[in-house]
Amino acid sequence: MSGARGQFSSKTGFVMAAAGSAVGLGNIWGFPTQTASNGGAAFVMVYFILAFLLAYPALMAELIIGRHANANVVSALSGLGRKPLTRFIGAGVGYYGIIVASLILSFYTIVAGWMIAYLGEPVTAVLGAEEAGTWLTTDSVTRNLIFGSGFAFLTMWIIGSGIENGIERWSTRLMPVLIGLLLCLIVYVLTQDGAMEGLKVYLLPDLSRVTDPKLIIDALGQAFFSLSLGVGTMLVYGSYLSKEESLPRLGAIVTFVDCGIAFTAGLLIIPAIYVAQHNGLTIYNDAGELIAGPSLIFQVLPSLFDSMGAAGTFVGFAFFALMSIAALTSSISMLEVPVSMTVEKTKLNRKQSTYLIGLTIFAISTTIIFNFDLLFTFVIDFTTKYSEPLLGVMLCIFAGWVMHRDKLLAEVSAGHPDIENSFFWKIWPTYVRFVCPVLILITFSQSMAG
Ligand code: PFF
């Protein structure tokens, strides 16, 4: 059966794909800006602690369930239940995950379309086509539809090509390019005047903020979003993993890579903001807070690139290439969640399922584009603030309470024979049963109350 479903061909292929899913706009845009508005390195510290204490165990729950079931998220969760009610709830959680993954993809596609439009701007500058450049960087429904659909088709094309030939091949090609671009940009930005001030803000912790509830809630939400948790992405990627690989080890590598790239992205974005200030640009809004939202990426940074002269054209191109690649390797993982279910539950083949689902999701993106003020923030909040933590709790409950302990052990032991005596197995089962759901729920209810 696994042959028919497709599999990652190697450990590296899986790590590239899962890290590709995890490393996205959340790392390069979300993490640095959240850090900047939450007391600098204090946020970084809390984030890393939560990533390993809460997000990693939840990631393990998804990987274990996925590889055990060797199936899509709905079949995997409903298959764990022994009674009709738990099977029914499992299917419900699976469908909820699919809806949330699809909705995340619908807004992610719009944002990725902006990145691609801005990627084109330096090209128009080199060609002397100024008008075209202005059109690319001016918000319009037409521009958003053209570039959003371009990005959506790219995502569909990769997913339609399958696990090994699509997801694995493109993640393995694009992730090294992403890391290379990120490092080159950091080296350049750190040589600019003003960068060191940003580096200080980023690296010196304001320890008084460590216990700030807002900081903790933001850090947990960011960790879950960054590791693509709750919506079944990691569960499905786990289901394509061979039984010879050690899940706890691979999960830890993915968590390390994700945290590492988020941290590294901070070394680029925060110093860049301060270089912009040094070059005379405004980096605080009227309320005196650091500009962090879309205007940071689409106004402050492009103005910074403009102020760098000829080099700025290359820097701008490299930056938006970095953003576009980060978005693409994440979006393919989101599309795989509904597509894997459609392939396994209907008679449609992979290509048909991909285009049917992909076009449906793009229809949602189109609805958002036409009703932007009404829907954009609403969809982001519904999916990332409310749904992802709740789904995370449900997945921990399924791994900790519904899945039989012997089956859990059998699954983690595959590829890691001595696991029974390890530190991981001593704490993780209890942890995923009690600590994770309770802590996630406490943080979640605090964020509701706030
Ligand atoms: N992890 C991605 C990021 O940091 O941008 C976002 C994401 C990808 C969320 C895949 C959910 C998902 F299923």
PDB file of all heavy atoms in Angstrom, residues 5-6 8 14 62-63 65-67 70-74 76 98 163 167 231-241 333 335-341 344 350:
ATOM      1  N   ARG A   5       0.831   4.661  -2.360  1.00  0.00           N
ATOM      2  CA  ARG A   5       0.596   6.008  -1.842  1.00  0.00           C
ATOM      3  C   ARG A   5       1.751   6.941  -2.151  1.00  0.00           C
ATOM      4  O   ARG A   5       1.598   8.135  -2.103  1.00  0.00           O
ATOM      5  CB  ARG A   5       0.448   5.972  -0.316  1.00  0.00           C
ATOM      6  CG  ARG A   5      -0.831   5.412   0.200  1.00  0.00           C
ATOM      7  CD  ARG A   5      -0.894   5.596   1.700  1.00  0.00           C
ATOM      8  NE  ARG A   5      -1.280   6.951   2.051  1.00  0.00           N
ATOM      9  CZ  ARG A   5      -0.576   7.762   2.807  1.00  0.00           C
ATOM     10  NH1 ARG A   5       0.571   7.392   3.286  1.00  0.00           N
ATOM     11  NH2 ARG A   5      -1.012   8.962   3.096  1.00  0.00           N
ATOM     12  N   GLY A   6       2.918   6.389  -2.389  1.00  0.00           N
ATOM     13  CA  GLY A   6       4.093   7.243  -2.565  1.00  0.00           C
ATOM     14  C   GLY A   6       4.769   7.459  -1.221  1.00  0.00           C
ATOM     15  O   GLY A   6       4.120   7.374  -0.168  1.00  0.00           O
ATOM     16  N   PHE A   8       8.557   9.394   0.738  1.00  0.00           N
ATOM     17  CA  PHE A   8       9.799  10.135   0.564  1.00  0.00           C
ATOM     18  C   PHE A   8      10.891   9.105   0.315  1.00  0.00           C
ATOM     19  O   PHE A   8      10.897   8.039   0.934  1.00  0.00           O
ATOM     20  CB  PHE A   8      10.119  10.955   1.808  1.00  0.00           C
ATOM     21  CG  PHE A   8       9.151  12.094   2.022  1.00  0.00           C
ATOM     22  CD1 PHE A   8       8.313  12.134   3.131  1.00  0.00           C
ATOM     23  CD2 PHE A   8       9.067  13.129   1.091  1.00  0.00           C
ATOM     24  CE1 PHE A   8       7.418  13.185   3.321  1.00  0.00           C
ATOM     25  CE2 PHE A   8       8.178  14.182   1.272  1.00  0.00           C
ATOM     26  CZ  PHE A   8       7.350  14.207   2.384  1.00  0.00           C
ATOM     27  N   PHE A  14      12.679  13.766   3.417  1.00  0.00           N
ATOM     28  CA  PHE A  14      11.637  14.101   4.400  1.00  0.00           C
ATOM     29  C   PHE A  14      12.001  15.377   5.147  1.00  0.00           C
ATOM     30  O   PHE A  14      11.167  16.273   5.316  1.00  0.00           O
ATOM     31  CB  PHE A  14      11.436  12.947   5.402  1.00  0.00           C
ATOM     32  CG  PHE A  14      10.619  13.363   6.593  1.00  0.00           C
ATOM     33  CD1 PHE A  14       9.227  13.431   6.512  1.00  0.00           C
ATOM     34  CD2 PHE A  14      11.235  13.745   7.787  1.00  0.00           C
ATOM     35  CE1 PHE A  14       8.471  13.872   7.597  1.00  0.00           C
ATOM     36  CE2 PHE A  14      10.484  14.169   8.881  1.00  0.00           C
ATOM     37  CZ  PHE A  14       9.096  14.231   8.777  1.00  0.00           C
ATOM     38  N   GLU A  62       1.726  14.226  15.732  1.00  0.00           N
ATOM     39  CA  GLU A  62       1.291  14.163  14.324  1.00  0.00           C
ATOM     40  C   GLU A  62       2.106  13.154  13.525  1.00  0.00           C
ATOM     41  O   GLU A  62       1.554  12.361  12.758  1.00  0.00           O
ATOM     42  CB  GLU A  62       1.421  15.549  13.668  1.00  0.00           C
ATOM     43  CG  GLU A  62       0.362  16.515  14.141  1.00  0.00           C
ATOM     44  CD  GLU A  62       0.056  17.610  13.108  1.00  0.00           C
ATOM     45  OE1 GLU A  62       0.237  17.387  11.895  1.00  0.00           O
ATOM     46  OE2 GLU A  62      -0.368  18.690  13.535  1.00  0.00           O
ATOM     47  N   LEU A  63       3.427  13.182  13.707  1.00  0.00           N
ATOM     48  CA  LEU A  63       4.270  12.272  12.924  1.00  0.00           C
ATOM     49  C   LEU A  63       3.955  10.815  13.257  1.00  0.00           C
ATOM     50  O   LEU A  63       3.874   9.956  12.378  1.00  0.00           O
ATOM     51  CB  LEU A  63       5.762  12.555  13.182  1.00  0.00           C
ATOM     52  CG  LEU A  63       6.306  13.903  12.693  1.00  0.00           C
ATOM     53  CD1 LEU A  63       7.787  14.047  13.045  1.00  0.00           C
ATOM     54  CD2 LEU A  63       6.124  14.046  11.182  1.00  0.00           C
ATOM     55  N   ILE A  65       1.125   9.484  14.617  1.00  0.00           N
ATOM     56  CA  ILE A  65      -0.195   9.067  14.113  1.00  0.00           C
ATOM     57  C   ILE A  65      -0.127   8.852  12.600  1.00  0.00           C
ATOM     58  O   ILE A  65      -0.626   7.875  12.050  1.00  0.00           O
ATOM     59  CB  ILE A  65      -1.287  10.119  14.444  1.00  0.00           C
ATOM     60  CG1 ILE A  65      -1.485  10.247  15.954  1.00  0.00           C
ATOM     61  CG2 ILE A  65      -2.606   9.768  13.762  1.00  0.00           C
ATOM     62  CD1 ILE A  65      -2.458  11.350  16.369  1.00  0.00           C
ATOM     63  N   GLY A  66       0.535   9.791  11.917  1.00  0.00           N
ATOM     64  CA  GLY A  66       0.589   9.717  10.451  1.00  0.00           C
ATOM     65  C   GLY A  66       1.293   8.462   9.971  1.00  0.00           C
ATOM     66  O   GLY A  66       0.770   7.737   9.130  1.00  0.00           O
ATOM     67  N   ARG A  67       2.482   8.193  10.520  1.00  0.00           N
ATOM     68  CA  ARG A  67       3.202   7.032  10.004  1.00  0.00           C
ATOM     69  C   ARG A  67       2.504   5.743  10.387  1.00  0.00           C
ATOM     70  O   ARG A  67       2.483   4.780   9.619  1.00  0.00           O
ATOM     71  CB  ARG A  67       4.653   7.029  10.475  1.00  0.00           C
ATOM     72  CG  ARG A  67       5.446   6.009   9.672  1.00  0.00           C
ATOM     73  CD  ARG A  67       6.898   6.013   9.969  1.00  0.00           C
ATOM     74  NE  ARG A  67       7.173   5.543  11.323  1.00  0.00           N
ATOM     75  CZ  ARG A  67       8.406   5.336  11.782  1.00  0.00           C
ATOM     76  NH1 ARG A  67       9.438   5.601  11.016  1.00  0.00           N
ATOM     77  NH2 ARG A  67       8.597   4.916  13.010  1.00  0.00           N
ATOM     78  N   ASN A  70      -0.495   5.453   7.991  1.00  0.00           N
ATOM     79  CA  ASN A  70      -0.147   5.383   6.576  1.00  0.00           C
ATOM     80  C   ASN A  70      -1.323   5.868   5.721  1.00  0.00           C
ATOM     81  O   ASN A  70      -1.692   5.236   4.725  1.00  0.00           O
ATOM     82  CB  ASN A  70       0.233   3.939   6.234  1.00  0.00           C
ATOM     83  CG  ASN A  70       0.960   3.846   4.918  1.00  0.00           C
ATOM     84  OD1 ASN A  70       1.485   4.839   4.433  1.00  0.00           O
ATOM     85  ND2 ASN A  70       0.964   2.668   4.312  1.00  0.00           N
ATOM     86  N   ALA A  71      -1.938   6.946   6.142  1.00  0.00           N
ATOM     87  CA  ALA A  71      -3.142   7.424   5.447  1.00  0.00           C
ATOM     88  C   ALA A  71      -3.319   8.924   5.648  1.00  0.00           C
ATOM     89  O   ALA A  71      -2.612   9.548   6.442  1.00  0.00           O
ATOM     90  CB  ALA A  71      -4.365   6.696   6.001  1.00  0.00           C
ATOM     91  N   ASN A  72      -4.292   9.487   4.940  1.00  0.00           N
ATOM     92  CA  ASN A  72      -4.620  10.911   5.058  1.00  0.00           C
ATOM     93  C   ASN A  72      -5.173  11.221   6.454  1.00  0.00           C
ATOM     94  O   ASN A  72      -5.487  10.320   7.224  1.00  0.00           O
ATOM     95  CB  ASN A  72      -5.642  11.287   3.989  1.00  0.00           C
ATOM     96  CG  ASN A  72      -6.947  10.581   4.235  1.00  0.00           C
ATOM     97  OD1 ASN A  72      -7.771  11.023   5.024  1.00  0.00           O
ATOM     98  ND2 ASN A  72      -7.140   9.428   3.600  1.00  0.00           N
ATOM     99  N   VAL A  73      -5.328  12.509   6.747  1.00  0.00           N
ATOM    100  CA  VAL A  73      -5.649  12.915   8.116  1.00  0.00           C
ATOM    101  C   VAL A  73      -7.030  12.403   8.595  1.00  0.00           C
ATOM    102  O   VAL A  73      -7.167  11.980   9.757  1.00  0.00           O
ATOM    103  CB  VAL A  73      -5.498  14.455   8.276  1.00  0.00           C
ATOM    104  CG1 VAL A  73      -6.415  15.227   7.362  1.00  0.00           C
ATOM    105  CG2 VAL A  73      -5.681  14.905   9.697  1.00  0.00           C
ATOM    106  N   VAL A  74      -8.009  12.360   7.694  1.00  0.00           N
ATOM    107  CA  VAL A  74      -9.336  11.898   8.123  1.00  0.00           C
ATOM    108  C   VAL A  74      -9.301  10.397   8.428  1.00  0.00           C
ATOM    109  O   VAL A  74      -9.728   9.944   9.507  1.00  0.00           O
ATOM    110  CB  VAL A  74     -10.401  12.198   7.028  1.00  0.00           C
ATOM    111  CG1 VAL A  74     -11.728  11.559   7.388  1.00  0.00           C
ATOM    112  CG2 VAL A  74     -10.554  13.698   6.848  1.00  0.00           C
ATOM    113  N   ALA A  76      -6.716   8.612   9.097  1.00  0.00           N
ATOM    114  CA  ALA A  76      -5.785   8.342  10.199  1.00  0.00           C
ATOM    115  C   ALA A  76      -6.486   8.547  11.545  1.00  0.00           C
ATOM    116  O   ALA A  76      -6.416   7.685  12.427  1.00  0.00           O
ATOM    117  CB  ALA A  76      -4.568   9.255  10.084  1.00  0.00           C
ATOM    118  N   ILE A  98      -8.587  19.757   7.622  1.00  0.00           N
ATOM    119  CA  ILE A  98      -8.521  19.976   6.168  1.00  0.00           C
ATOM    120  C   ILE A  98      -9.071  21.352   5.806  1.00  0.00           C
ATOM    121  O   ILE A  98      -8.500  22.083   4.990  1.00  0.00           O
ATOM    122  CB  ILE A  98      -9.304  18.855   5.448  1.00  0.00           C
ATOM    123  CG1 ILE A  98      -8.459  17.587   5.484  1.00  0.00           C
ATOM    124  CG2 ILE A  98      -9.651  19.248   4.020  1.00  0.00           C
ATOM    125  CD1 ILE A  98      -9.050  16.409   4.796  1.00  0.00           C
ATOM    126  N   ILE A 163       4.636  12.808  -4.537  1.00  0.00           N
ATOM    127  CA  ILE A 163       5.422  12.991  -3.298  1.00  0.00           C
ATOM    128  C   ILE A 163       6.901  13.136  -3.647  1.00  0.00           C
ATOM    129  O   ILE A 163       7.537  14.139  -3.317  1.00  0.00           O
ATOM    130  CB  ILE A 163       5.266  11.774  -2.348  1.00  0.00           C
ATOM    131  CG1 ILE A 163       3.829  11.258  -2.265  1.00  0.00           C
ATOM    132  CG2 ILE A 163       5.829  12.076  -0.959  1.00  0.00           C
ATOM    133  CD1 ILE A 163       2.824  12.272  -1.888  1.00  0.00           C
ATOM    134  N   ILE A 167       6.835  17.132  -4.233  1.00  0.00           N
ATOM    135  CA  ILE A 167       7.159  17.715  -2.923  1.00  0.00           C
ATOM    136  C   ILE A 167       8.648  17.570  -2.594  1.00  0.00           C
ATOM    137  O   ILE A 167       9.337  18.541  -2.288  1.00  0.00           O
ATOM    138  CB  ILE A 167       6.335  17.031  -1.804  1.00  0.00           C
ATOM    139  CG1 ILE A 167       4.835  17.192  -2.072  1.00  0.00           C
ATOM    140  CG2 ILE A 167       6.701  17.601  -0.438  1.00  0.00           C
ATOM    141  CD1 ILE A 167       3.943  16.450  -1.089  1.00  0.00           C
ATOM    142  N   VAL A 231      -3.015  21.204  11.623  1.00  0.00           N
ATOM    143  CA  VAL A 231      -3.898  21.052  10.470  1.00  0.00           C
ATOM    144  C   VAL A 231      -3.656  19.750   9.693  1.00  0.00           C
ATOM    145  O   VAL A 231      -4.300  19.519   8.673  1.00  0.00           O
ATOM    146  CB  VAL A 231      -3.772  22.262   9.528  1.00  0.00           C
ATOM    147  CG1 VAL A 231      -4.260  23.507  10.226  1.00  0.00           C
ATOM    148  CG2 VAL A 231      -2.350  22.451   9.047  1.00  0.00           C
ATOM    149  N   GLY A 232      -2.720  18.940  10.168  1.00  0.00           N
ATOM    150  CA  GLY A 232      -2.526  17.633   9.535  1.00  0.00           C
ATOM    151  C   GLY A 232      -1.394  17.582   8.523  1.00  0.00           C
ATOM    152  O   GLY A 232      -1.095  16.531   7.963  1.00  0.00           O
ATOM    153  N   THR A 233      -0.725  18.719   8.311  1.00  0.00           N
ATOM    154  CA  THR A 233       0.387  18.720   7.353  1.00  0.00           C
ATOM    155  C   THR A 233       1.476  17.737   7.769  1.00  0.00           C
ATOM    156  O   THR A 233       1.932  16.910   6.975  1.00  0.00           O
ATOM    157  CB  THR A 233       1.040  20.127   7.323  1.00  0.00           C
ATOM    158  OG1 THR A 233       0.027  21.063   7.131  1.00  0.00           O
ATOM    159  CG2 THR A 233       2.073  20.236   6.276  1.00  0.00           C
ATOM    160  N   MET A 234       1.886  17.848   9.028  1.00  0.00           N
ATOM    161  CA  MET A 234       2.979  17.000   9.488  1.00  0.00           C
ATOM    162  C   MET A 234       2.511  15.550   9.609  1.00  0.00           C
ATOM    163  O   MET A 234       3.285  14.620   9.419  1.00  0.00           O
ATOM    164  CB  MET A 234       3.527  17.524  10.819  1.00  0.00           C
ATOM    165  CG  MET A 234       4.248  18.844  10.670  1.00  0.00           C
ATOM    166  SD  MET A 234       5.674  18.708   9.542  1.00  0.00           S
ATOM    167  CE  MET A 234       6.359  20.353   9.643  1.00  0.00           C
ATOM    168  N   LEU A 235       1.239  15.379   9.916  1.00  0.00           N
ATOM    169  CA  LEU A 235       0.681  14.017   9.971  1.00  0.00           C
ATOM    170  C   LEU A 235       0.801  13.360   8.591  1.00  0.00           C
ATOM    171  O   LEU A 235       1.266  12.224   8.452  1.00  0.00           O
ATOM    172  CB  LEU A 235      -0.776  14.111  10.430  1.00  0.00           C
ATOM    173  CG  LEU A 235      -1.522  12.815  10.721  1.00  0.00           C
ATOM    174  CD1 LEU A 235      -2.613  13.075  11.768  1.00  0.00           C
ATOM    175  CD2 LEU A 235      -2.137  12.185   9.509  1.00  0.00           C
ATOM    176  N   VAL A 236       0.409  14.101   7.567  1.00  0.00           N
ATOM    177  CA  VAL A 236       0.447  13.535   6.213  1.00  0.00           C
ATOM    178  C   VAL A 236       1.895  13.303   5.767  1.00  0.00           C
ATOM    179  O   VAL A 236       2.218  12.252   5.200  1.00  0.00           O
ATOM    180  CB  VAL A 236      -0.299  14.464   5.223  1.00  0.00           C
ATOM    181  CG1 VAL A 236      -0.126  13.988   3.801  1.00  0.00           C
ATOM    182  CG2 VAL A 236      -1.773  14.513   5.567  1.00  0.00           C
ATOM    183  N   TYR A 237       2.787  14.255   6.053  1.00  0.00           N
ATOM    184  CA  TYR A 237       4.194  14.047   5.684  1.00  0.00           C
ATOM    185  C   TYR A 237       4.747  12.830   6.443  1.00  0.00           C
ATOM    186  O   TYR A 237       5.524  12.057   5.897  1.00  0.00           O
ATOM    187  CB  TYR A 237       5.027  15.303   5.976  1.00  0.00           C
ATOM    188  CG  TYR A 237       5.001  16.338   4.855  1.00  0.00           C
ATOM    189  CD1 TYR A 237       4.067  16.256   3.824  1.00  0.00           C
ATOM    190  CD2 TYR A 237       5.913  17.379   4.813  1.00  0.00           C
ATOM    191  CE1 TYR A 237       4.043  17.195   2.788  1.00  0.00           C
ATOM    192  CE2 TYR A 237       5.902  18.320   3.786  1.00  0.00           C
ATOM    193  CZ  TYR A 237       4.961  18.228   2.779  1.00  0.00           C
ATOM    194  OH  TYR A 237       4.960  19.167   1.766  1.00  0.00           O
ATOM    195  N   GLY A 238       4.344  12.680   7.707  1.00  0.00           N
ATOM    196  CA  GLY A 238       4.783  11.509   8.477  1.00  0.00           C
ATOM    197  C   GLY A 238       4.305  10.214   7.831  1.00  0.00           C
ATOM    198  O   GLY A 238       4.986   9.187   7.878  1.00  0.00           O
ATOM    199  N   SER A 239       3.125  10.276   7.201  1.00  0.00           N
ATOM    200  CA  SER A 239       2.580   9.054   6.610  1.00  0.00           C
ATOM    201  C   SER A 239       3.365   8.626   5.371  1.00  0.00           C
ATOM    202  O   SER A 239       3.215   7.519   4.887  1.00  0.00           O
ATOM    203  CB  SER A 239       1.096   9.247   6.262  1.00  0.00           C
ATOM    204  OG  SER A 239       0.963  10.006   5.084  1.00  0.00           O
ATOM    205  N   TYR A 240       4.194   9.526   4.830  1.00  0.00           N
ATOM    206  CA  TYR A 240       5.002   9.166   3.664  1.00  0.00           C
ATOM    207  C   TYR A 240       6.429   8.776   4.070  1.00  0.00           C
ATOM    208  O   TYR A 240       7.327   8.746   3.240  1.00  0.00           O
ATOM    209  CB  TYR A 240       5.080  10.348   2.685  1.00  0.00           C
ATOM    210  CG  TYR A 240       3.741  10.785   2.141  1.00  0.00           C
ATOM    211  CD1 TYR A 240       3.407  12.134   2.034  1.00  0.00           C
ATOM    212  CD2 TYR A 240       2.804   9.847   1.710  1.00  0.00           C
ATOM    213  CE1 TYR A 240       2.191  12.539   1.527  1.00  0.00           C
ATOM    214  CE2 TYR A 240       1.578  10.245   1.198  1.00  0.00           C
ATOM    215  CZ  TYR A 240       1.278  11.589   1.117  1.00  0.00           C
ATOM    216  OH  TYR A 240       0.062  11.989   0.614  1.00  0.00           O
ATOM    217  N   LEU A 241       6.620   8.545   5.361  1.00  0.00           N
ATOM    218  CA  LEU A 241       7.975   8.286   5.864  1.00  0.00           C
ATOM    219  C   LEU A 241       8.162   6.792   6.080  1.00  0.00           C
ATOM    220  O   LEU A 241       7.257   6.107   6.575  1.00  0.00           O
ATOM    221  CB  LEU A 241       8.138   9.052   7.185  1.00  0.00           C
ATOM    222  CG  LEU A 241       9.518   9.172   7.763  1.00  0.00           C
ATOM    223  CD1 LEU A 241      10.474   9.808   6.757  1.00  0.00           C
ATOM    224  CD2 LEU A 241       9.467  10.066   8.990  1.00  0.00           C
ATOM    225  N   SER A 333       2.775  22.053   1.161  1.00  0.00           N
ATOM    226  CA  SER A 333       2.413  21.146   2.259  1.00  0.00           C
ATOM    227  C   SER A 333       0.955  21.341   2.679  1.00  0.00           C
ATOM    228  O   SER A 333       0.293  20.396   3.109  1.00  0.00           O
ATOM    229  CB  SER A 333       3.352  21.339   3.448  1.00  0.00           C
ATOM    230  OG  SER A 333       3.070  22.549   4.120  1.00  0.00           O
ATOM    231  N   LEU A 335      -1.527  22.246   0.608  1.00  0.00           N
ATOM    232  CA  LEU A 335      -2.387  21.660  -0.427  1.00  0.00           C
ATOM    233  C   LEU A 335      -2.392  20.133  -0.334  1.00  0.00           C
ATOM    234  O   LEU A 335      -3.385  19.480  -0.651  1.00  0.00           O
ATOM    235  CB  LEU A 335      -1.918  22.130  -1.817  1.00  0.00           C
ATOM    236  CG  LEU A 335      -2.770  21.695  -3.012  1.00  0.00           C
ATOM    237  CD1 LEU A 335      -4.233  22.122  -2.849  1.00  0.00           C
ATOM    238  CD2 LEU A 335      -2.227  22.259  -4.325  1.00  0.00           C
ATOM    239  N   GLU A 336      -1.274  19.559   0.115  1.00  0.00           N
ATOM    240  CA  GLU A 336      -1.197  18.100   0.204  1.00  0.00           C
ATOM    241  C   GLU A 336      -2.225  17.529   1.194  1.00  0.00           C
ATOM    242  O   GLU A 336      -2.674  16.397   1.047  1.00  0.00           O
ATOM    243  CB  GLU A 336       0.234  17.679   0.600  1.00  0.00           C
ATOM    244  CG  GLU A 336       0.482  16.178   0.663  1.00  0.00           C
ATOM    245  CD  GLU A 336       0.232  15.443  -0.661  1.00  0.00           C
ATOM    246  OE1 GLU A 336       0.234  16.070  -1.722  1.00  0.00           O
ATOM    247  OE2 GLU A 336      -0.007  14.222  -0.603  1.00  0.00           O
ATOM    248  N   VAL A 337      -2.620  18.325   2.200  1.00  0.00           N
ATOM    249  CA  VAL A 337      -3.557  17.810   3.218  1.00  0.00           C
ATOM    250  C   VAL A 337      -4.908  17.432   2.584  1.00  0.00           C
ATOM    251  O   VAL A 337      -5.330  16.271   2.673  1.00  0.00           O
ATOM    252  CB  VAL A 337      -3.721  18.809   4.389  1.00  0.00           C
ATOM    253  CG1 VAL A 337      -4.708  18.296   5.417  1.00  0.00           C
ATOM    254  CG2 VAL A 337      -2.378  19.088   5.050  1.00  0.00           C
ATOM    255  N   PRO A 338      -5.604  18.362   1.893  1.00  0.00           N
ATOM    256  CA  PRO A 338      -6.860  17.941   1.253  1.00  0.00           C
ATOM    257  C   PRO A 338      -6.649  17.007   0.061  1.00  0.00           C
ATOM    258  O   PRO A 338      -7.473  16.112  -0.173  1.00  0.00           O
ATOM    259  CB  PRO A 338      -7.494  19.261   0.788  1.00  0.00           C
ATOM    260  CG  PRO A 338      -6.431  20.278   0.822  1.00  0.00           C
ATOM    261  CD  PRO A 338      -5.401  19.824   1.808  1.00  0.00           C
ATOM    262  N   VAL A 339      -5.556  17.207  -0.677  1.00  0.00           N
ATOM    263  CA  VAL A 339      -5.357  16.373  -1.876  1.00  0.00           C
ATOM    264  C   VAL A 339      -5.164  14.908  -1.482  1.00  0.00           C
ATOM    265  O   VAL A 339      -5.757  14.009  -2.086  1.00  0.00           O
ATOM    266  CB  VAL A 339      -4.170  16.901  -2.726  1.00  0.00           C
ATOM    267  CG1 VAL A 339      -3.751  15.881  -3.775  1.00  0.00           C
ATOM    268  CG2 VAL A 339      -4.551  18.212  -3.394  1.00  0.00           C
ATOM    269  N   SER A 340      -4.361  14.657  -0.430  1.00  0.00           N
ATOM    270  CA  SER A 340      -4.127  13.251  -0.050  1.00  0.00           C
ATOM    271  C   SER A 340      -5.445  12.580   0.320  1.00  0.00           C
ATOM    272  O   SER A 340      -5.679  11.409  -0.008  1.00  0.00           O
ATOM    273  CB  SER A 340      -3.128  13.163   1.109  1.00  0.00           C
ATOM    274  OG  SER A 340      -3.620  13.884   2.218  1.00  0.00           O
ATOM    275  N   MET A 341      -6.336  13.343   0.970  1.00  0.00           N
ATOM    276  CA  MET A 341      -7.617  12.727   1.336  1.00  0.00           C
ATOM    277  C   MET A 341      -8.460  12.449   0.094  1.00  0.00           C
ATOM    278  O   MET A 341      -9.060  11.382  -0.034  1.00  0.00           O
ATOM    279  CB  MET A 341      -8.394  13.635   2.280  1.00  0.00           C
ATOM    280  CG  MET A 341      -9.612  12.941   2.785  1.00  0.00           C
ATOM    281  SD  MET A 341     -11.009  13.976   3.159  1.00  0.00           S
ATOM    282  CE  MET A 341     -11.308  14.940   1.751  1.00  0.00           C
ATOM    283  N   GLU A 344      -7.259   9.424  -1.749  1.00  0.00           N
ATOM    284  CA  GLU A 344      -7.496   8.145  -1.061  1.00  0.00           C
ATOM    285  C   GLU A 344      -8.972   7.830  -0.855  1.00  0.00           C
ATOM    286  O   GLU A 344      -9.334   6.684  -0.656  1.00  0.00           O
ATOM    287  CB  GLU A 344      -6.735   8.138   0.274  1.00  0.00           C
ATOM    288  CG  GLU A 344      -5.240   7.936   0.040  1.00  0.00           C
ATOM    289  CD  GLU A 344      -4.364   8.351   1.218  1.00  0.00           C
ATOM    290  OE1 GLU A 344      -4.849   8.332   2.362  1.00  0.00           O
ATOM    291  OE2 GLU A 344      -3.188   8.683   0.987  1.00  0.00           O
ATOM    292  N   ARG A 350      -4.319  11.637  -8.691  1.00  0.00           N
ATOM    293  CA  ARG A 350      -3.634  12.761  -8.025  1.00  0.00           C
ATOM    294  C   ARG A 350      -3.785  14.069  -8.793  1.00  0.00           C
ATOM    295  O   ARG A 350      -4.087  15.106  -8.227  1.00  0.00           O
ATOM    296  CB  ARG A 350      -2.154  12.396  -7.808  1.00  0.00           C
ATOM    297  CG  ARG A 350      -1.310  13.533  -7.274  1.00  0.00           C
ATOM    298  CD  ARG A 350       0.013  13.066  -6.747  1.00  0.00           C
ATOM    299  NE  ARG A 350      -0.108  12.700  -5.341  1.00  0.00           N
ATOM    300  CZ  ARG A 350       0.018  13.564  -4.324  1.00  0.00           C
ATOM    301  NH1 ARG A 350       0.256  14.836  -4.543  1.00  0.00           N
ATOM    302  NH2 ARG A 350      -0.100  13.159  -3.094  1.00  0.00           N
TER     303      ARG A 350
END
